[in-house]
Amino acid sequence: MEKFVLDAVEHITTRPRTVYETIAADPLTPVVGAEITGVDLTRELPDRQLAEIRHAFLEHHVLVFRDQALSVEDHKRFAAHFGELRPLPVAVPEGRDPVVLEISADKDSTDVDGHGWHADGTSNPELALGSMLHISRTPDIGSGGDTLFANMHLAYEVLSPAMRAFLDGLTAVHDDAVAWQGHTPPEGYVLPRNEHPLVVRHPETGRKLLFVNPAYTSHIPQLSGAESKALLTMLFDLVARTPMLSCRVRWTPDTLVFWDNRSVQHHAVWDYYPHARHGRRVAIKGRRPEA
């Protein structure tokens, strides 16, 4: 493996970890993810504990909370501590909560939400700050349905200095038509399409990260069609083929995962058909990505 790849990983793994007073954060891997204990999300959390969770969120990018038997209101209350909840992009039936996305798959499913590497809704003008997914039922076989999360700061940092310098000046078009390819959007839904920097800075930490994904990114307008396709394929493969960038969350019933949609991509593995898996997700409003 190239030395600058190992140097980038070592830079992350040798940083001192925060010692918390009201929670414990057990890293899932050296580069992304942590399991958080000492928290009961069914109760209103004290300010000190919320502040430590926010810090852990920025440090680890993906937080896993086990054994949290949450009601919808518990779920929404916890999410609202981090910002305004983001309404679903499509109209919901009367009586359904407009900020709660039901996640469900069973023997009748022909596809599942999140199967493939992506960040949520990157074709929109503003990017969601993060998402909270609570899984209430896992496959009856006792395994399957894991979610992978990749650190996109590290995906940028493992590139060669020459490649990073080249990418810094480019943009990419994110188009919902890519995500809906082969499917029919709901009636009245206008497919968003926006151009964003290919490398952006995290709005809270200022760290650079790679901002393209195969679910939404169509092309790089500064390059020819062939050049754009070749470069995007290389960047997509970097995430898919470099396990060192990612962690794997194994779901158990009543687990909530809170991930930073600005700094990670995720992939919901559909390896449990025909068994069922159920949960719900809420997202938190963010802002437009900036170079």
Side-chain angles (χ1 to χ4, degrees):
M1 187 170 291
E2 299 290 346
K3 184 178 185 300
F4 50 78
V5 175
L6 298 177
D7 287 345
V9 174
E10 184 179 11
H11 178 68
I12 290 179
T13 59
T14 55
R15 277 189 244 166
R17 294 292 185 188
T18 303
V19 177
Y20 297 99
E21 295 178 0
T22 67
I23 63 173
D26 185 20
L28 298 181
T29 75
V31 301
V32 63
E35 193 157 314
I36 304 299
T37 53
V39 178
D40 181 357
L41 300 181
T42 67
R43 301 175 179 272
E44 183 60 71
L45 302 182
D47 290 344
R48 176 62 177 164
Q49 195 164 58
L50 281 170
E52 292 200 331
I53 292 171
R54 287 190 184 95
H55 187 96
F57 178 63
L58 295 177
E59 182 175 17
H60 297 284
H61 316 291
V62 178
L63 303 183
V64 181
F65 301 83
R66 304 282 184 189
D67 301 318
Q68 304 288 337
L70 303 180
S71 67
V72 174
E73 293 309 311
D74 292 333
H75 193 167
K76 290 166 57 179
R77 181 185 66 247
F78 179 50
H81 285 298
F82 299 89
E84 184 181 351
L85 301 188
R86 182 172 180 161
L88 300 178
V90 297
V92 298
E94 187 175 353
R96 292 277 296 275
D97 194 312
V99 300
V100 176
L101 176 66
E102 299 293 334
I103 303 290
S104 182
D106 56 26
K107 63 181 178 59
D108 297 319
S109 300
T110 57
D111 198 4
V112 297
D113 291 315
H115 183 52
W117 283 107
H118 67 290
D120 292 331
T122 62
S123 56
N124 291 296
E126 292 84 28
L127 187 65
L129 178 151
S131 293
M132 291 186 181
L133 175 59
H134 182 259
I135 293 294
S136 55
R137 177 182 177 183
T138 54
D140 296 334
I141 54 174
S143 62
D146 298 349
T147 302
L148 310 177
F149 294 91
N151 182 334
M152 298 309 293
H153 294 298
L154 187 56
Y156 174 75
E157 291 161 3
V158 300
L159 296 169
S160 67
M163 179 58 71
R164 293 199 302 266
F166 175 61
L167 298 181
D168 281 348
L170 301 178
T171 63
V173 174
H174 295 246
D175 191 340
D176 233 40
V178 178
W180 282 96
Q181 192 169 19
H183 302 276
T184 302
E187 185 176 355
Y189 177 60
V190 178
L191 299 178
R193 183 176 187 270
N194 281 275
E195 188 173 338
H196 297 302
L198 198 146
V199 176
V200 304
R201 286 192 181 275
H202 192 283
E204 294 184 70
T205 66
R207 288 181 63 197
K208 288 184 177 182
L209 61 106
L210 186 62
F211 193 68
V212 291
N213 69 86
Y216 292 101
T217 308
S218 62
H219 66 284
I220 299 169
Q222 294 83 12
L223 304 180
S224 71
E227 291 168 341
S228 172
K229 182 178 179 180
L231 180 56
L232 287 176
T233 297
M234 184 272 287
L235 297 175
F236 298 158
D237 284 351
L238 173 68
V239 176
R241 299 177 184 274
T242 313
M244 190 180 290
L245 301 177
S246 63
C247 69
R248 187 180 190 108
V249 173
R250 299 188 180 279
W251 294 93
T252 53
D254 286 331
T255 294
L256 181 135
V257 174
F258 179 25
W259 68 87
D260 191 333
N261 193 53
R262 304 162 297 184
S263 61
V264 302
Q265 288 185 26
H266 59 285
H267 177 186
V269 181
W270 191 27
D271 59 355
Y272 50 91
Y273 180 87
H275 297 274
R277 178 177 178 267
H278 301 295
R280 62 174 178 264
R281 192 196 75 193
V282 298
I284 302 156
K285 286 185 176 181
R287 66 192 201 194
R288 192 175 187 95
E290 297 181 359

